[in-house]
Amino acid sequence: EGDVRQAGKGVCQICIQLAQEDTDGRLPRAVAAEPQLNCRTPAEQRVYQAGSGWLAVLTTWINVTKCFVGAASFELPRAFSDAGTVGAIVGVCLLAVLSSFSLRRLAHCCELMPRNLASRSGSPFTYYQIGQEAFGRFGAATALFGVVAMTLGVCGSYIVFVCTTMAEVTGMRREVWLVLTMAAIVPLSWMRHLRIVAITSFFGIVALLTAVISVTLDAAEQQPPQPIGNMTKFDPEHYPMFLGNAGFLYLISTAVLPLYQDMDVQSAPHFAATFNSSIVFVTLLNLAFGLFAWYAYGSCSSDSDVRCVDGNVIGNLSVGPVKTAVQLLLSVDLLFTTIVFLYPFNEALERQLLKPQHGGTGGGGGAAGGDGGEGMVSG
């Protein structure tokens, strides 16, 4: 009964604050006036107040963009052929708008946490704590499961892709590349600030853009097998398949909270503009790349032997130095993307295992499960 009351109280508090939002989609007035006040301890606020606002905006933009761009971009040309030109453009734009709205709200959940918990917490809030405050033990367990499941799914698929690709390029066994990949990921995952991770994210973005340009140049040399006016406008039969592939572009829910918390107090009010500019850049890049590659390589038909766009557009490249370079660049990109997605999981795990425990009173902020104090995440 106590958990039910706590969950109801937390939900009501969040709903009331969200109901106070301005009609233009900004944060509640009380939150917007004091950005980041609840997300950090007083000591952390002093440290981040001494930081550079423009640097926080730049590093956040780089890290957010790195989370968005990756292997999914090379699946889009085939996905667009499943959706049609109109279906692809409308679908991707709609996904971008919904993702911007929902992910920014998810990031700002830390602002809705009680102020007394912010003053006693040893670090910025985690999804575990926010889930516990809103829905009690059930919310904490659900949030933890979501973070672990997404981290394993996303990072696991990236590591498998890197190992498989590098084994194909070099002829070495995948097991060897698995050891080498983990040897690179482990020390990089020890970095404690996303501003430092932004350095590797920058190189990841450069690698991805270089790979996209390489594929685009190869596509430009092809003789398009179809007039642009004959491209499918909308294909309802295969549209669900398109949505699954396109939705993966914006799947960064576990990373968005630490990305927001890594901004300093001066730059935090610019998070929405920083985040949205990244989404616009990624959306336009992927729309242009996906549509052009589909047009250049052609649509696939079950009753035709004519070449067409591959499920992964890298498969359309001829064996040679260009394809090898694209595979290497994409592997580098995904390696650095893995670091960003591991950050929230590592952060929560280390607070559970390494931070000293302090007893406390009051409700719901601890990550140890239960209602007492800071639990195992306090420092």
Side-chain angles (χ1 to χ4, degrees):
E1 181 180 358
D3 285 342
V4 173
R5 290 181 179 178
Q6 178 188 359
K9 182 179 179 181
V11 172
C12 289
Q13 178 185 4
I14 291 177
C15 290
I16 290 172
Q17 294 196 46
L18 288 176
Q20 297 173 349
E21 292 185 355
D22 292 333
T23 56
D24 61 356
R26 292 180 298 175
L27 286 173
R29 293 182 180 87
V31 175
E34 298 177 294
Q36 288 284 88
L37 190 57
N38 287 349
C39 294
R40 296 192 176 279
T41 65
E44 285 178 319
Q45 290 176 31
R46 287 193 294 271
V47 170
Y48 276 80
Q49 282 174 347
S52 174
W54 69 267
L55 180 61
V57 170
L58 177 60
T59 56
T60 299
W61 190 91
I62 291 174
N63 282 324
V64 170
T65 303
K66 181 74 249 20
C67 289
F68 281 135
V69 297
S73 299
F74 296 88
E75 310 280 347
L76 284 182
R78 180 59 178 269
F80 284 3
S81 72
D82 290 335
T85 53
V86 175
I89 294 173
V90 172
V92 169
C93 291
L94 182 60
L95 286 171
V97 172
L98 293 176
S99 297
S100 172
F101 176 84
S102 59
L103 291 172
R104 285 188 293 111
R105 289 300 182 276
L106 185 61
H108 289 307
C109 281
C110 63
E111 304 287 3
L112 304 180
M113 293 289 282
R115 295 184 183 278
N116 66 309
L117 297 181
S119 64
R120 292 187 287 108
S121 174
S123 299
F125 290 118
T126 63
Y127 287 117
Y128 186 102
Q129 294 171 287
I130 295 172
Q132 180 168 300
E133 182 63 24
F135 295 102
R137 289 187 178 93
F138 173 78
T142 302
L144 181 60
F145 172 80
V147 170
V148 172
M150 181 171 170
T151 301
L152 290 176
V154 172
C155 297
S157 64
Y158 286 168
I159 291 172
V160 169
F161 180 91
V162 170
C163 296
T164 302
T165 300
M166 294 305 297
E168 177 184 342
V169 171
T170 63
M172 297 170 59
R173 293 173 57 87
R174 283 184 297 179
E175 291 80 4
V176 174
W177 278 109
L178 177 61
V179 173
L180 295 175
T181 302
M182 297 307 298
I185 288 176
V186 169
L188 289 173
S189 67
W190 292 340
M191 291 187 287
R192 295 275 45 89
H193 295 289
L194 285 172
R195 296 189 186 186
I196 301 177
V197 176
I199 299 174
T200 60
S201 295
F202 173 77
F203 287 110
I205 294 173
V206 172
L208 187 282
L209 291 177
T210 305
V212 167
I213 292 172
S214 299
V215 174
T216 302
L217 292 176
D218 180 83
E221 296 176 355
Q222 306 298 320
Q223 181 64 36
Q226 59 189 348
I228 192 170
N230 291 349
M231 296 172 69
T232 305
K233 302 298 186 296
F234 180 69
D235 185 353
E237 180 181 355
H238 298 100
Y239 203 72
M241 184 69 70
F242 155 76
L243 289 176
N245 285 317
F248 196 74
L249 280 175
Y250 304 104
L251 189 63
I252 69 166
S253 53
T254 56
V256 70
L257 178 61
L259 286 169
Y260 172 54
Q261 291 173 325
D262 199 61
M263 300 188 81
D264 57 48
V265 178
Q266 289 80 13
S267 61
H270 304 291
F271 177 76
T274 304
F275 191 85
N276 286 335
S277 65
S278 176
I279 280 191
V280 169
F281 170 76
V282 171
T283 300
L284 294 177
L285 172 68
N286 281 292
L287 279 174
F289 174 68
L291 289 172
F292 180 74
W294 167 29
Y295 164 69
Y297 291 121
S299 300
C300 294
S301 175
S302 58
D303 57 354
S304 174
D305 294 330
V306 179
R307 67 174 177 82
C308 63
V309 64
D310 200 83
N312 187 313
V313 76
I314 296 177
N316 288 107
L317 300 175
S318 301
V319 177
V322 173
K323 183 174 183 178
T324 300
V326 169
Q327 290 175 313
L328 293 174
L329 290 167
L330 187 56
S331 296
V332 171
D333 167 69
L334 294 183
L335 179 68
F336 291 146
T337 305
T338 302
I339 307 304
V340 182
F341 278 102
L342 278 175
Y343 185 87
F345 176 78
N346 291 342
E347 189 178 43
L349 182 63
E350 289 178 5
R351 291 178 194 175
Q352 290 279 14
L353 299 179
L354 303 180
K355 293 287 185 178
Q357 299 187 39
H358 295 283
T361 58
D371 301 331
E374 300 138 55
M376 298 177 67
V377 297
S378 50

